[in-house]
Amino acid sequence: MRALYIGRFQPYHLGHHEVIKQIASEADEVIICIGSAQRSHELENPFTAGERYLMISKSLRDEGILNFYIVPVLDVNWNAVWVSHVESLIPPVDLVYTNNPLIERLFKERGYEVRAPILYNRREYSGSEIRRRMLKNEAWEELVPDAVVTVIREIGGTNRLEDLKRRDE
Ligand code: ATP
Ligand code: MG
């Protein structure tokens, strides 16, 4: 059984990590799509697809999890063809995991079985909360796997966010 999981992972955090660990233990393979792959250097989407790829692959490998494939997916801004677009990039999957109502709707209409993973500590394990903390200089490191802290330090991620907030005044 091959399962699909989709997110923007801006950044990859412990909520995503718990869900993917669970899926990886149940499925033969997990396909992880990095959505909005073309977006980076924005306050809502600070990290590139390659940086997000590193965060996910290092975090899973640190746990000894190897049955995953990561596929970056560009936005097409055309909901009616979006599932076909994803299908053109990934191996065939039997099951889709998402908490996003639009993604659920689009895949169900194409005949897929869709399941909603449970949300872990959603108030804190949230991309928006982590980006907010980075900008306020609050502790965000406890909300992501250790490998993500390493990647974000390596690329100067918090400085990047601060620069994105500055305006040319
Ligand atoms: P943002 O605040 O930037 O939207 P996010 O935390 O919602 O970030 P996404 O990449 O948008 O992360 O979400 C990908 C998937 O992960 C979505 O289906 C989302 O519901 C799910 N998800 C997000 N946070 C958690 C969590 N704490 N536990 C389980 N699943 C989560
Ligand atoms: Mg989200």
Side-chain angles (χ1 to χ4, degrees), residues 8 16 100 122 127-128:
R8 286 179 15 265
H16 304 132
N100 180 301
R122 178 64 166 145
S128 310

Side-chain angles (χ1 to χ4, degrees), residues 51-69:
E51 290 161 352
R52 290 176 271 162
Y53 195 110
L54 268 185
M55 294 175 197
I56 300 166
S57 57
K58 280 178 182 287
S59 301
L60 291 172
R61 268 194 269 131
D62 281 352
E63 304 270 355
I65 297 169
L66 301 170
N67 59 332
F68 65 91
Y69 297 86

Side-chain angles (χ1 to χ4, degrees), residues 78-164:
W78 192 350
N79 287 337
V81 302
W82 184 72
V83 172
S84 316
H85 169 63
V86 173
E87 284 174 328
S88 77
L89 299 168
I90 62 169
V93 295
D94 309 288
L95 196 54
V96 179
Y97 287 91
T98 185
N99 302 100
N100 180 301
L102 175 62
I103 294 178
E104 175 185 348
R105 178 84 213 163
L106 294 175
F107 273 96
K108 275 192 172 158
E109 285 188 9
R110 300 280 299 206
Y112 284 90
E113 184 185 338
V114 179
R115 292 192 195 156
I118 59 163
L119 293 167
Y120 294 87
N121 184 12
R122 178 64 166 145
R123 282 221 346 255
E124 294 187 306
Y125 294 167
S126 134
S128 310
E129 171 64 10
I130 293 163
R131 297 190 302 275
R132 187 194 67 75
R133 288 191 189 191
M134 285 175 162
L135 280 169
K136 295 258 175 211
N137 251 316
E138 292 174 22
W140 53 272
E141 292 88 344
E142 65 209 47
L143 308 182
V144 301
D146 291 345
V148 173
V149 177
T150 308
V151 171
I152 290 177
R153 291 220 174 108
E154 177 195 328
I155 63 177
T158 48
N159 274 343
R160 180 186 298 170
L161 262 178
E162 283 157 15
D163 279 348
L164 293 171

Side-chain angles (χ1 to χ4, degrees), residues 16-81:
H16 304 132
H17 199 51
E18 282 307 314
V19 169
I20 292 179
K21 280 197 285 185
Q22 182 65 37
I23 299 172
S25 73
E26 290 167 10
D28 298 312
E29 289 158 336
V30 194
I31 314 302
I32 303 164
C33 281
I34 300 179
S36 300
Q38 83 284 3
R39 301 200 98 107
S40 71
H41 298 80
E42 299 170 347
L43 283 170
E44 299 285 295
N45 297 282
F47 305 114
T48 68
E51 290 161 352
R52 290 176 271 162
Y53 195 110
L54 268 185
M55 294 175 197
I56 300 166
S57 57
K58 280 178 182 287
S59 301
L60 291 172
R61 268 194 269 131
D62 281 352
E63 304 270 355
I65 297 169
L66 301 170
N67 59 332
F68 65 91
Y69 297 86
I70 302 176
V71 181
V73 175
L74 304 180
D75 288 331
V76 290
N77 298 315
W78 192 350
N79 287 337
V81 302

